[in-house]
Amino acid sequence: MSFLEKESLKIVGTRPIRPDGVDKVTGRANFGADMKMPGMLWGKIKRSPHAHARIVSINTDKAMALPGVKAVTTRTDFPDIPPDKRTIGAMPHNLWDLSRNCMAKGKALYEGHAVAAVAATSPAIAEQALYLIEVEYEVLPHVMDVEAAMADDAPVLHDDIFTAGVDPKPSKPSNVSKMVRFAKGDVEAGFAEADVVIERRYTTKPVHQADIGGGFGGKTIIYLVPVAYILSKKSGRPVKIVMSREEVFRATGPTSGAVVEVKIGAKKDGRITAAKSVLKYQSGAFPGSPVQQGCICGLAVYDLPNAETIGYDVLCNRPKVAAYRAPGAPIGSFGVESCIDELAHELGVDPLRMREINGAKDGTKAAHGPTWNNIGYMKTVEAAKVHPQLSVPLGPNQGRGIASGYWHNAGGESSAACHVNEDGTVTVTEGHPDIGGSRASMAMMVAEVLGVPFERVRPVVGDTTAIGFSASTGGSRVTFAGGMAVTQSAQKVVEELKKRAAIIWDISPEAVEWKDGKAFPAGANAGSFEPLDLAAIAAKAARTGGPISAEVQINAQGQAPGFTTHICDVEVDKETGHVKILRYAAIQDVGRAIHPSYVEGQMQGGVAQGVGWALSEEYIYDKDGRLENPGFLDYRVPVASDMPMIDTVLIEVPNPRHPFGARGCGEVPIIPPMAAVANAIADAIGIRLRDLPMSPPRLRAALDEAEPMRAAAE
């Protein structure tokens, strides 16, 4: 049976209730901050008040003398990491940088950088002890913004970092830790061939992974675990550390703020002849911005004969950036998709038609290397052309914006086990935390393979004491890679069930077939036996060979990219500068929607986050490098009243490398919204905003600036 054929599916593609839903909505589910242990101590971290400062001395004597304090730690308790162990993993993490980020060594590199920590018998005592730790600083010049940090006279954060990716190797340290470049064809020849060439500059601000429901990449970096470990080792007791909301803002990674420069040339008919982009991303205090993904994703939507993209990873005195849902891609795509719209306006070509003319198709070679096969981008454009939203008339100060996006998705290491219980129920154990509905999707795929009702499958998330290693839950890889692992384990169980039925019937296993959750004789020659369902076989497991189970470990390959096209309608209040989202449609190639409701939820959530990025969210620092809005009172995320109903259109172009055709869908939908909103605002009021967020004060300022010019023109 081919599970790629939708007509053969009975469970995949349906919408069962999530297995963990009741526990979460009733508060029964336990999260990390809910955990308690006997004799547990409370940990607190002392943080630098300066953006850049040399740590002259730390005196912890008074804190250690406070009754109730059981341990104090500073950098001196952290071992140095040997050079040969500073990077690990297939997607390497620099342990040296992570270690220095968890506890400052020599210098504090941003406001909020940990410099010491305590463990005490109560949170109040631990808090009091922090004030008793005496730290002497030598305040140093700091640099906050990406282009200022790239300047020759900028304060240098690290004297051992030299720009990688350039030739010859630099002779002096730099805040530019890396340069990346992808190219195709001859861009200068392409620009010479164009009838129209435009160059634009766009900027974005750091934004926080703030929405309810998941980590969105912000929790893929560790901050507290090594500190808690050291305190526990010194005190001999369990230690619990929980960050306050303010600490999360000041000391964990948002995504990068950035500058994106885009140059595009085209013929009068809209055919692009060349495109070039330069991306400058803040990495924070340590290297590692997602600039490479920004370079890859920005141009990947288009079939470009000549293209070049260059990216810079730039250090500055901010918290080290962390991944945020399709890390790097929304920023680069904001610049490219805005510039495509501006070019379409210059040419008098409809923006959607512009994307239809230049869209990537099967056989297109992307600027970053791969040749596309089995992609659904043009299907999203076709669906957008006939979407009802395009037929809704627009009123005064209303506009419509189009934008597209791409994310490459990921595979990697995943493990799973499938066990048949004696009552005929099934337990599937896999190693990925459920942050997007994966319990349900894993159970659905197992139920489909075994031919049993979804309710008979119990999904369990296990750690490495229960199941083999699984790589991090990110990159839109879980339904693809984890799904392959659970499917293969279930298929192994099917083979075992056929063997057990053969033993019961005393025939050859090759003479048994499995369909609709039952074993059947494969034909008349196999004998005449009543079918055996899974429960009947499980009940006799002890007499036919013992427990029925299978475990699989894989390094999944063959992930497929995701493409999307969004339509956004807005209304601008010229008096206040407020932008109201009137209507929004997200059209996406999702491969095969295992659980369509969760796919729709991913798409709607990505849109909401992207709208916040576009209109209101930003980190605001003062002249001394101190964060001024470390909380949801002043850092404004969209709420329900800010959003319309979001229409989702699921385009299914199955991925042939996955047993059910899955391709990642969670990261793609956050990529187009910023450009879609910006394009809609420009359509509404005739003014192009190129700096995010497009908040009411910025919009009012743009309107005020444009008014005298309009008056003069009239």
Side-chain angles (χ1 to χ4, degrees), residues 325-391:
R325 200 171 190 163
I331 299 168
S333 292
F334 165 61
V336 171
E337 290 297 301
S338 296
C339 196
I340 289 283
D341 209 69
E342 295 197 57
L343 180 59
H345 181 75
E346 290 271 335
L347 293 168
V349 176
D350 177 79
L352 191 53
R353 175 63 181 153
M354 191 79 179
R355 289 162 174 86
E356 185 179 33
I357 293 169
N358 296 287
K361 316 170 182 62
D362 287 0
T364 295
K365 182 175 175 59
H368 64 284
T371 297
W372 297 131
N373 182 39
N374 199 56
I375 65 170
Y377 174 58
M378 293 308 295
K379 288 184 181 293
T380 71
V381 174
E382 292 163 12
K385 286 170 60 180
V386 298
H387 193 277
Q389 185 169 330
L390 292 187
S391 301

Side-chain angles (χ1 to χ4, degrees), residues 489-676:
S489 67
Q491 288 169 335
K492 283 190 172 185
V493 165
V494 166
E495 293 305 310
E496 187 62 28
L497 290 167
K498 289 162 64 175
K499 291 178 184 177
R500 301 303 178 92
I503 292 171
I504 294 170
W505 290 333
D506 194 22
I507 62 175
S508 168
E510 287 74 26
V512 180
E513 65 176 353
W514 187 266
K515 63 179 180 180
D516 299 328
K518 296 177 182 178
F520 292 83
N525 292 337
S528 178
F529 304 101
E530 287 295 314
L532 290 171
D533 65 14
L534 187 144
I537 297 172
K540 297 181 179 180
R543 285 174 280 168
T544 59
I548 301 172
S549 63
E551 185 170 345
V552 168
Q553 300 85 29
I554 61 171
N555 190 1
Q557 305 298 311
Q559 67 272 16
F563 290 86
T564 187
T565 298
H566 289 195
I567 309 168
C568 176
D569 290 359
V570 303
E571 182 175 83
V572 178
D573 185 330
K574 288 188 172 182
E575 186 173 342
T576 65
H578 177 260
V579 176
K580 180 180 181 181
I581 309 294
L582 299 173
R583 290 168 290 275
Y584 204 106
I587 304 160
Q588 184 173 318
D589 173 16
V590 301
R592 170 67 47 70
I594 306 300
H595 192 303
S597 295
Y598 292 168
V599 174
E600 292 162 357
Q602 292 285 351
M603 293 165 69
Q604 291 161 344
V607 169
Q609 289 176 316
V611 166
W613 203 334
L615 295 178
S616 61
E617 297 184 42
E618 64 176 314
Y619 276 39
I620 301 171
Y621 282 86
D622 67 15
K623 62 181 179 60
D624 296 316
R626 294 191 175 97
L627 186 62
E628 293 187 309
N629 61 331
F632 289 133
L633 182 63
D634 299 307
Y635 179 93
R636 193 175 186 290
V637 297
V639 295
S641 58
D642 295 315
M643 300 300 301
M645 297 300 291
I646 301 166
D647 186 42
T648 55
V649 179
L650 277 55
I651 305 296
E652 293 191 308
V653 180
N655 172 13
R657 299 289 296 277
H658 187 272
F660 291 102
R663 63 178 79 217
C665 67
E667 285 168 287
V668 183
I670 198 175
I671 297 169
M674 291 104 78

Side-chain angles (χ1 to χ4, degrees), residues 73-81 99-100 102-103 105 225-228 230-231:
T73 187
T74 64
R75 182 71 216 188
T76 57
D77 295 316
F78 284 69
D80 283 329
I81 299 170
S99 173
R100 289 187 292 177
C102 289
M103 190 64 69
K105 180 176 183 177
V225 175
V227 180
I230 294 291
L231 290 170

Side-chain angles (χ1 to χ4, degrees), residues 284-554:
F286 299 94
S289 77
V291 70
Q292 181 161 315
Q293 290 96 310
C295 289
I296 288 171
C297 297
L299 300 178
V301 171
Y302 299 106
D303 185 354
L304 304 171
N306 307 289
E308 181 183 31
T309 180
I310 297 170
Y312 297 96
D313 183 59
V314 185
L315 296 154
C316 52
N317 294 113
R318 297 171 177 263
K320 173 179 169 53
V321 303
Y324 181 16
R325 200 171 190 163
I331 299 168
S333 292
F334 165 61
V336 171
E337 290 297 301
S338 296
C339 196
I340 289 283
D341 209 69
E342 295 197 57
L343 180 59
H345 181 75
E346 290 271 335
L347 293 168
V349 176
D350 177 79
L352 191 53
R353 175 63 181 153
M354 191 79 179
R355 289 162 174 86
E356 185 179 33
I357 293 169
N358 296 287
K361 316 170 182 62
D362 287 0
T364 295
K365 182 175 175 59
H368 64 284
T371 297
W372 297 131
N373 182 39
N374 199 56
I375 65 170
Y377 174 58
M378 293 308 295
K379 288 184 181 293
T380 71
V381 174
E382 292 163 12
K385 286 170 60 180
V386 298
H387 193 277
Q389 185 169 330
L390 292 187
S391 301
V392 178
L394 297 171
N397 301 319
Q398 294 182 357
R400 179 166 293 142
I402 304 289
S404 295
Y406 153 88
W407 181 250
H408 37 68
N409 296 316
E413 299 163 290
S414 290
S415 298
C418 185
H419 173 66
V420 178
N421 302 306
E422 289 187 351
D423 62 354
T425 60
V426 178
T427 301
V428 56
T429 305
E430 47 101 16
H432 294 289
D434 181 356
I435 59 172
S438 59
R439 280 186 178 90
S441 61
M442 298 300 141
M444 291 173 75
M445 286 183 272
V446 168
E448 189 73 66
V449 172
L450 296 178
V452 300
F454 169 77
E455 295 76 16
R456 302 284 285 173
V457 180
R458 177 174 177 255
V460 175
V461 177
D463 60 20
T464 47
T465 64
I467 194 67
F469 177 76
S470 295
S472 62
T473 301
S476 294
R477 62 175 295 268
V478 172
T479 304
F480 172 76
M484 287 181 73
V486 300
T487 299
Q488 289 180 23
S489 67
Q491 288 169 335
K492 283 190 172 185
V493 165
V494 166
E495 293 305 310
E496 187 62 28
L497 290 167
K498 289 162 64 175
K499 291 178 184 177
R500 301 303 178 92
I503 292 171
I504 294 170
W505 290 333
D506 194 22
I507 62 175
S508 168
E510 287 74 26
V512 180
E513 65 176 353
W514 187 266
K515 63 179 180 180
D516 299 328
K518 296 177 182 178
F520 292 83
N525 292 337
S528 178
F529 304 101
E530 287 295 314
L532 290 171
D533 65 14
L534 187 144
I537 297 172
K540 297 181 179 180
R543 285 174 280 168
T544 59
I548 301 172
S549 63
E551 185 170 345
V552 168
Q553 300 85 29
I554 61 171

